[in-house]
C-alpha cells in the first residue's frame, strides 16, 4: 500500500504564501505522477497541479503563474508552493499519487490539509 502524509496547510492572509508538502511511503515503486487537488464544501474535487515522473507539469488555469509544483525524488516528496493567495484558494488540499504497474493504474489520496485564505 501507499501512504501519503501532507503538511503545510494553515491560515494565511490574501496575498500571502504557503508551501504544502506530501511525503509518500510504502509500496511507492512505479510512480507515474504526483500532484495536488482541492475541494470546497459542496463542490467536486478539482485539479490544482500535477507533475509526472518525467517532470512534466500541469496546472489549473486559476493557479498558473501563482503556484509551483515540484518534487524531490530522494525524499519521495512533492511540494506545492503557493504565492499571491486569493480568498478563492481556500479549500482542503489533497495530495495525489498515481502508480503504473503491469496490472494497471492505481491512484492514492492523502487525508487532506486545510488552506484558509483570509481578507
Amino acid at each position: 500500500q501507499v501512504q501519503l502524509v501532507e503538511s503545510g496547510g494553515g491560515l494565511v492572509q490574501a496575498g500571502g504564501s504557503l508551501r504544502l508538502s506530501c511525503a509518500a511511503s510504502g509500496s511507492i515503486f512505479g510512480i507515474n505522477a504526483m500532484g495536488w487537488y482541492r475541494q470546497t464544501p459542496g463542490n467536486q474535487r478539482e485539479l490544482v497541479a500535477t507533475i509526472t515522473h518525467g517532470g512534466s507539469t500541469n496546472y489549473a488555469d486559476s493557479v498558473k503563474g501563482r503556484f509551483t509544483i515540484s518534487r524531490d525524488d530522494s525524499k519521495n516528496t512533492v511540494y506545492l508552493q503557493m504565492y499571491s493567495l486569493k480568498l478563492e484558494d481556500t479549500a482542503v488540499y489533497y495530495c495525489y499519487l498515481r502508480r503504473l504497474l503491469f496490472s494497471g493504474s492505481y491512484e492514492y489520496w492523502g487525508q487532506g490539509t486545510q488552506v484558509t485564505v483570509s481578507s
Side-chain angles (χ1 to χ4, degrees), residues 13-90:
Q13 284 193 321
S17 55
L18 278 176
R19 189 176 84 153
L20 305 182
S21 301
C22 173
S25 62
S27 301
I28 55 175
F29 54 89
I31 294 177
N32 175 257
M34 293 185 73
W36 295 90
Y37 283 68
R38 65 187 182 188
Q39 189 171 24
T40 53
N43 293 306
Q44 289 189 330
R45 197 169 294 186
E46 64 177 13
L47 168 75
V48 177
T50 58
I51 183 167
T52 69
H53 180 70
S56 297
T57 57
N58 183 41
Y59 293 92
D61 288 343
S62 60
V63 307
K64 283 181 181 176
R66 300 188 298 120
F67 291 10
T68 301
I69 190 169
S70 62
R71 71 180 198 276
D72 183 339
D73 291 339
S74 68
K75 298 180 180 180
N76 297 311
T77 299
V78 64
Y79 303 97
L80 185 69
Q81 180 66 56
M82 304 184 289
Y83 296 104
S84 302
L85 283 160
K86 304 177 180 181
L87 297 179
E88 53 264 41
D89 293 319
T90 296

Side-chain angles (χ1 to χ4, degrees), residues 10-16 18 85-91 93 114-119:
L11 175 65
V12 63
Q13 284 193 321
L18 278 176
L85 283 160
K86 304 177 180 181
L87 297 179
E88 53 264 41
D89 293 319
T90 296
Y93 284 69
Q114 177 72 46
V115 172
T116 303
V117 184
S118 64
S119 58

